[in-house]
Amino acid sequence: ELDGPEHAARTVLDSALPRLGEGRPDLPMRIVRNAVVVDVDYCSRHETNTGIQRVVRHIMPRWRDRHDIVPVAAIDEHTAYRSLSPYEQAHVFDFGRHRDQLDRSAEAEFVPELVVPWQTTVVLPELPHPHSSPFLAGLAEFSGNRVGIVAYDMIPIITTELRPFGEAGIFQRYLTIVKH
């Protein structure tokens, strides 16, 4: 603050320029302001359909039918949101139905959009990827968006000794999102 705007700009550029190759600056961007952004990254990418995934896949079609929502997944670097491909949307909204009719050939032509929530609500109905936690905590604390979660249990913290090694640390990073 005391060094003035030129120093601030130089500092920001010095920290950002080495990271230009990260992320997806090649993608078109859509700013979402009047809809709820719903992070369904795991369900859109994976076949797993146990407790949390079953809940998410059960509620998403209902939310879509009653509310204006934008389902999203993370880019591969887990630093931003992107739109879902048709196959990923079917994976979330129609899981288990018409599996033989899902055509993945259109996936190669699909160009995702970066999705930027702006002064809206972001909902995390499933646990985010561990690498997403710092970025989602920043989104929750600084972006002006409201961030809501669906909390299932505290098993990784309460019964640490019964869980795989390292799971408690991953869950603690998730809790940094919750506190904001």
Side-chain angles (χ1 to χ4, degrees):
E1 189 173 311
L2 296 175
D3 290 333
E6 294 84 14
H7 178 71
R10 193 170 22 262
T11 302
V12 169
L13 288 172
D14 285 346
S15 66
L17 288 175
R19 300 182 73 179
L20 281 180
E22 296 178 22
R24 294 297 309 269
D26 59 311
L27 296 179
M29 184 185 323
R30 176 170 48 139
I31 296 174
V32 175
R33 187 172 189 168
N34 297 317
V36 176
V37 174
V38 185
D39 182 337
V40 291
D41 183 69
Y42 191 88
C43 282
S44 69
R45 296 175 186 245
H46 299 279
E47 295 288 330
T48 306
N49 198 34
T50 56
I52 292 173
Q53 296 80 34
R54 286 177 41 208
V55 169
V56 172
R57 289 181 174 123
H58 183 76
I59 62 172
M60 288 305 294
R62 292 175 182 212
W63 284 2
R64 179 190 57 197
D65 293 345
R66 293 177 178 89
H67 305 285
D68 191 11
I69 64 168
V70 178
V72 295
I75 63 172
D76 290 341
E77 296 84 0
H78 298 283
T79 56
Y81 284 133
R82 64 166 175 80
S83 57
L84 301 182
S85 72
Y87 183 82
E88 290 171 325
Q89 287 206 28
H91 219 75
V92 173
F93 293 99
D94 296 311
F95 188 81
R97 286 181 262 156
H98 314 294
R99 302 291 300 166
D100 54 332
Q101 297 174 10
L102 292 178
D103 182 10
R104 291 200 78 158
S105 62
E107 292 292 295
E109 298 153 18
F110 172 72
V111 177
E113 294 179 304
L114 291 176
V115 176
V116 179
W118 179 254
Q119 298 176 343
T120 191
T121 300
V122 178
V123 177
L124 308 172
E126 57 186 14
L127 292 174
H129 189 281
H131 295 154
S132 295
S133 291
F135 303 101
L136 292 173
L139 179 91
E141 185 174 7
F142 300 113
S143 72
N145 293 298
R146 290 173 306 221
V147 177
I149 64 159
V150 177
Y152 294 91
D153 57 51
M154 298 294 285
I155 290 172
I157 299 295
I158 295 170
T159 58
T160 304
E161 69 281 359
L162 301 176
R163 306 301 307 150
F165 182 75
E167 189 176 274
I170 292 169
F171 196 76
Q172 286 173 336
R173 285 193 298 266
Y174 166 68
L175 293 177
T176 63
I177 303 166
V178 174
K179 75 179 180 181
H180 298 295

